Amino acid sequence: MRTKISPSLMCMNLMEIKQQLAILNSRADFLHVDIMDGHYVKNITLSPFFIEQIRPYTPLAIDVHLMVEEPTDFIEAVAKAGADYICPHAETINRDAFRVINQIRALGKKPGVVLNPATPVSFIHHYIHLLDKITVMTVDPGYAGQPFIPEMINKIAELKALKEQHGYTWLIEIDGSCNQKTYTTLLDAGAEVLIVGTSGLFNLHANLETAWDDMMVNIAQAQSALRESA
């Protein structure tokens, strides 16, 4: 499977949204939108209104990451705003996971789930077959620019093995410190979608087109290194 790229829009230059979306539209596979409530994590970033504003300017799938204590307060709003994937944290839905997943599907959207670093894959065992995407946090949630947590490599490999064993179709996505230092390890473990933010994309160059090209060189080098070691 070709590695898919999902730029994290909270890391983009928000003063140049239209210009940067135009660049990403022909290059990215998804657009990653973080929504935080200031409670589940001590930060507030984007909103359903932001999704509504960018929806007319991109054909890409908008992937919404709900870092909120009460996902059901946001699901309908982000769906109406134009989200394609809706991904709450497993810790916030396990009391009513089946109801939440059914709600997302009933709205015509794809359900995903996000696993914090300390949350095991077994936490979602009973509904893992109902998902379209599983996001592994390789940093603690809340802020960009945190250091990579290497213990997450085993979790990614565990998901890859489960997917192959049972024929699951969900995507294995990585959120946190996806950059030149980690690409080889992440791809080797089984990562399929890379969420790229400051260190992986937007801080590589002031010109986003140049930054994208630099990122793709870094990813290609990681893929080449894996082929050579195979």
Side-chain angles (χ1 to χ4, degrees), residues 35-44 67-69 89 116 140-143:
I35 293 183
M36 307 177 186
D37 62 359
H39 297 285
Y40 185 71
V41 291
K42 300 300 181 182
N43 194 8
I44 296 175
M67 281 183 263
V68 300
E69 288 188 350
H89 276 255
N116 275 334
D140 286 322
Y143 293 89

Side-chain angles (χ1 to χ4, degrees), residues 198-220:
T198 52
S199 65
L201 174 60
F202 293 100
N203 279 2
L204 295 182
H205 197 278
N207 181 294
L208 184 55
E209 290 177 300
T210 302
W212 186 276
D213 291 342
D214 291 347
M215 176 193 69
M216 294 307 296
V217 168
N218 293 336
I219 293 174

